[in-house]
Amino acid sequence: MRVAVIGGGPGGLYFAALAKQLSADWEITVWERNAREEAFGFGVVFSDETLEGIAQADPGVFAAMSAEFARWSDIDVHFRGQVRTSGGHGFAALDRNRLREILQQRCAELGVDVRYGTQAPPVEQLRADHDLVVAADGIRSATREAYATSFGPQLDERHSRYMWLATDKVFEAFTFIVTRRDFGVLAVHAYPYSAHRSTFIVEIAEQAWRRAGFADLAAGEPARGESDEASVRRCEELLAEHLGGHRLIPNASRWIRFETVHNASWRHENVVLLGDAAHSAHFSIGSGTKLAMEDALALAAGLHEHATVAEALAAYEAERRPVVESTQRAAQASLEWFESIGRYAGQQIDQFAFNLLTRSRRVTYQNLRERDAAFVAAVSQAQGPEAGSGAVPPMFQPLKLGQLALRNRVVVPPIATYTATDGHPGAFEQAQLAAHALGGAGLVFAGMTAVAPQGRATTGCPGLWTDEQEAAWRALVRAVREVSDTPLGIQLTHAGRRGATAPPGPDGIGLPLGERGWPTLAASPLAWGPGHPAPHEASEAELAAVTADFAQAAARAERAGFDALELQFGHGQLLSGFLSPLTNHRTDRYGGPLDNRLRLPLEVLAAVRAAWPAGKPIVVRISAADWAPGGTTEAEAVAICRALAAGGADTVDVSTGEVVADQRPPYGRSYQTPFADLIRNATGVPTIAVGAISTYDDVNSILLAGRADLVAVGRAHLYDPLWTLHAAAEQGYTGPGVHWPRPWQPGSRKPPGPRADRVPPRLELLRAPAAPVHRRWPHQA
């Protein structure tokens, strides 16, 4: 094998060393444009998982790295003049240039031909002369651009500015400094990497960067290898109290924006991408060097395990892509959190610190408790007396919506059953509502109830437009009340252009009923998707009738005995169609600017509020994002929620999407929570977080971080109608925040599993001491 490696950074060198170690007869050449001794960058951080891989793959390299690691387990959060510390995390950092020296030495020992200060030949020439070309040429990869059609790169340049620096102040822990100035919020990510220095990354939002004068200081672009010295000195002044007289040390340091790199493919014939050339992840979640070295290990192993280069490259990408994409999802959440850090400036230090630590969704309430129980207890206690000493999980703390007292923060959202006949709820609807009411949640909603016959989504949807339907709901509520005192709500909706479809199949899509359907109306005569008939544009008289239908249905819901209402103003249904600029093309007073698009929803809300008792809460569900170009913006979502709160809504159920058929949502665990977070912290309006939330750990994390006031758990309650009760049992919680029905109380403890009665013998003569929760970097040594 003849192998060419473009780029002599840690990823390229580590791959060359591992490949040569596995196949000594391979001819491996590395081209590195910089001189061998040329220094770039500062410290890099490694996880224990990555280090285990290095230790197994090359003990010599690991030993050399380990001898110089800075190691610690604490994270310090500096905010509003105070510091909070969370322990038990575990970090190892090393000078990037020292790492490169270790890998250079290893390549020399193994006979790898590393050509320093030498530009690589054109990639076409390398491809012709070598069996494999490994492009480890960084985030600006020329190789990736040369074969852009094959690799399909997608580059997402973000908004905030950051500068990578070092300091001769040696921090004792991973340190986040968040300071609010007249120009905005300045954030620092700092950590030690030797006995003499720390990495020190300064990050600031674009507008704050300009207001602080950095744009003027950076007006003259430094030459390659030079630093923006004026900005460095300005950062020293702004952060003097945290530097304690120490200096900031630049190395080709300038203000840049982070760019997230994705590629549709990482390979083109005998060319493969590695490290930042293939992917990047925001520095707030980890190290690009770490990912590149993991890539190197997987690629070298794949080449050793497979007979052909093509098979090896396919196996490499298949193995690494899921790992990288998982990291990128966490990094994206972290990146977006820091971009919008100003919205949390009003939080108290304890909640802010917890919020920061759980920002990526990789660190959660439960594993923080496992790492540092005292830290989580202090955060919980700081939230109020009802949290006690932290023994009450956040999900089981009470809340009042209007005058309605909820025993906990879990909501079963409206879940359609499509089992109604002529709009009458039937036996299955009653069974589902009873099961969920018995299951321990604080509030349970009946699903997708139409306010008029033409407002149904399907023929199987229930309604509340006749006396007979009202009587059916009253009987259903009475039956559920006989077995449970859980508050019950009902969602009222008009499907608009999403009406007249068959019940959805496994893919969640309902097909148009065709001749068996009914005429639909909407803000504008736009079909919801291909194959759907176009609705007619609703007249003002029809809109007035819709408003009256909602008010009448609300009055019927009150007489039926419901405790709460949810109005469906999202998911592309009628009222949603008025709010979104993608679906409202009207030119009258109900279309155009946002104030006009809000007119009908606010008229409906006012009519419902007048028909519904003042002490009973009204929840409004919105789609805060359309996931399509030209759709509702974040600023518009915030303005919509402010208007709804002013109009009488007690809380907002913050969903997204389903407004247009060509949406592209980034589905994933709790992917919609950032919108509940945005609205809650921008407006002060209580919010319900929804969307792919299925674990009690995530529910607790969302609530304690202040991202929402309630959490809706839908599909997990279909999987397990007693989800909330089982969450209490799993956490050992038996307080008033959850109620086990008396007949089921013998099952309120988690059943024993296989061999649960086995008591293991003692097999250690001397017990190993427990790992310390708090460990600082003793740099003075």
Side-chain angles (χ1 to χ4, degrees), residues 274-300:
L274 183 148
D276 282 349
H279 48 72
S280 63
H282 193 249
F283 55 82
S284 63
I285 200 64
S287 164
T289 300
K290 164 192 174 303
L291 287 175
M293 292 181 70
E294 290 176 351
D295 283 356
L297 188 151
L299 179 57

Side-chain angles (χ1 to χ4, degrees), residues 143-510:
T143 308
R144 184 184 65 222
E145 294 309 307
Y147 300 112
T149 302
S150 295
F151 292 127
Q154 294 180 335
L155 309 179
D156 177 21
E157 186 176 65
R158 302 303 299 186
H159 314 299
S160 293
R161 304 272 184 159
Y162 72 99
M163 182 182 289
W164 204 287
L165 300 159
T167 176
D168 55 6
K169 176 175 180 175
V170 183
F171 290 93
E172 296 183 345
F174 208 121
T175 302
F176 292 100
I177 300 167
V178 180
T179 178
R180 189 171 184 85
R181 303 292 179 130
D182 55 355
F183 54 77
V185 175
L186 198 65
V188 173
H189 314 241
Y191 56 87
Y193 65 85
S194 75
H196 308 287
R197 287 190 178 180
S198 301
T199 296
F200 197 90
I201 306 168
V202 183
E203 185 176 18
I204 185 171
E206 174 76 14
Q207 291 305 313
W209 179 78
R210 295 187 179 279
R211 288 193 295 267
F214 286 119
D216 296 330
L217 295 175
E221 183 71 17
R224 184 176 182 273
E226 293 182 354
S227 298
D228 178 357
E229 294 285 353
S231 289
V232 175
R233 302 287 81 82
R234 172 74 168 141
C235 286
E236 274 186 343
E237 294 171 6
L238 291 169
L239 296 162
E241 65 179 296
H242 299 284
L243 289 168
H246 292 269
R247 63 193 176 107
L248 292 179
I249 303 166
N251 182 341
S253 302
R254 64 191 71 187
W255 293 110
I256 53 179
R257 296 186 180 96
F258 189 82
E259 191 165 58
T260 302
V261 175
H262 299 270
N263 282 281
S265 173
W266 297 356
R267 60 194 195 277
H268 167 70
E269 297 181 2
N270 66 334
V271 180
V272 66
L273 302 178
L274 183 148
D276 282 349
H279 48 72
S280 63
H282 193 249
F283 55 82
S284 63
I285 200 64
S287 164
T289 300
K290 164 192 174 303
L291 287 175
M293 292 181 70
E294 290 176 351
D295 283 356
L297 188 151
L299 179 57
L303 290 163
H304 181 68
E305 293 166 353
H306 295 274
T308 68
V309 168
E311 290 172 342
L313 299 190
Y316 156 70
E317 183 169 353
E319 179 181 331
R320 285 295 294 160
R321 184 178 283 278
V323 177
V324 167
E325 289 179 347
S326 174
T327 300
Q328 287 186 313
R329 285 192 295 272
Q332 186 72 11
S334 181
L335 176 158
E336 291 174 0
W337 191 92
F338 277 105
E339 281 187 338
S340 55
I341 196 170
R343 77 172 63 148
Y344 309 114
Q347 288 188 330
Q348 295 302 311
I349 175 67
D350 298 280
Q351 187 174 55
F352 180 86
F354 180 88
N355 195 351
L356 185 152
L357 292 174
T358 59
R359 67 195 180 277
S360 72
R361 301 193 286 273
R362 279 195 163 180
V363 176
T364 63
Y365 172 85
Q366 186 60 32
N367 58 39
L368 270 181
R369 286 189 73 189
E370 293 167 358
R371 299 177 191 199
D372 188 349
F375 170 78
V376 174
V379 176
S380 298
Q381 194 167 16
Q383 301 312 299
E386 68 276 8
S389 63
V392 180
M395 66 186 291
F396 293 119
Q397 294 173 17
L399 182 73
K400 288 190 78 172
L401 281 184
Q403 297 303 310
L404 180 63
L406 306 182
R407 62 168 60 100
N408 64 54
R409 307 295 185 96
V410 180
V411 176
V412 179
I415 301 173
T417 65
Y418 306 106
T419 58
T421 302
D422 296 327
H424 293 76
F428 196 91
E429 189 88 33
Q430 178 175 319
Q432 176 170 287
L433 204 61
H436 289 152
L438 288 165
L443 176 61
V444 175
F445 279 99
M448 206 159 74
T449 303
V451 299
Q454 68 274 23
R456 292 172 295 162
T458 76
T459 54
C461 290
L464 199 44
W465 67 82
T466 70
D467 292 342
E468 292 77 16
Q469 291 164 352
E470 179 184 325
W473 280 113
R474 187 182 304 111
L476 187 154
V477 169
R478 185 184 304 116
V480 175
R481 289 265 188 265
E482 290 178 1
V483 296
S484 172
D485 63 353
T486 298
L488 302 177
I490 188 168
Q491 184 192 67
L492 301 181
T493 188
H494 190 299
R497 68 180 189 151
R498 299 205 62 183
T501 64
D507 60 0
I509 298 174

Side-chain angles (χ1 to χ4, degrees), residues 62-148:
F62 175 76
M65 292 172 61
S66 188
E68 301 189 38
F69 276 143
R71 288 186 178 274
W72 70 96
S73 67
D74 278 354
I75 298 176
D76 290 345
V77 178
H78 296 246
F79 181 63
R80 300 177 71 169
Q82 300 179 70
V83 182
R84 292 293 183 270
T85 298
S86 171
H89 299 277
F91 295 98
L94 180 67
D95 186 328
R96 184 182 184 276
N97 295 297
R98 178 62 188 130
L99 171 62
R100 198 160 51 89
E101 290 173 3
I102 292 169
L103 295 172
Q104 288 170 345
Q105 179 63 35
R106 183 59 173 150
C107 285
E109 291 170 359
L110 292 166
V112 175
D113 180 7
V114 184
R115 302 181 183 181
Y116 300 102
T118 306
Q119 191 74 35
V123 66
E124 278 294 319
Q125 179 182 328
L126 291 176
R127 280 188 59 208
D129 296 341
H130 294 79
D131 300 290
L132 173 66
V133 179
V134 178
D137 50 349
I139 202 163
R140 304 290 176 205
S141 172
T143 308
R144 184 184 65 222
E145 294 309 307
Y147 300 112

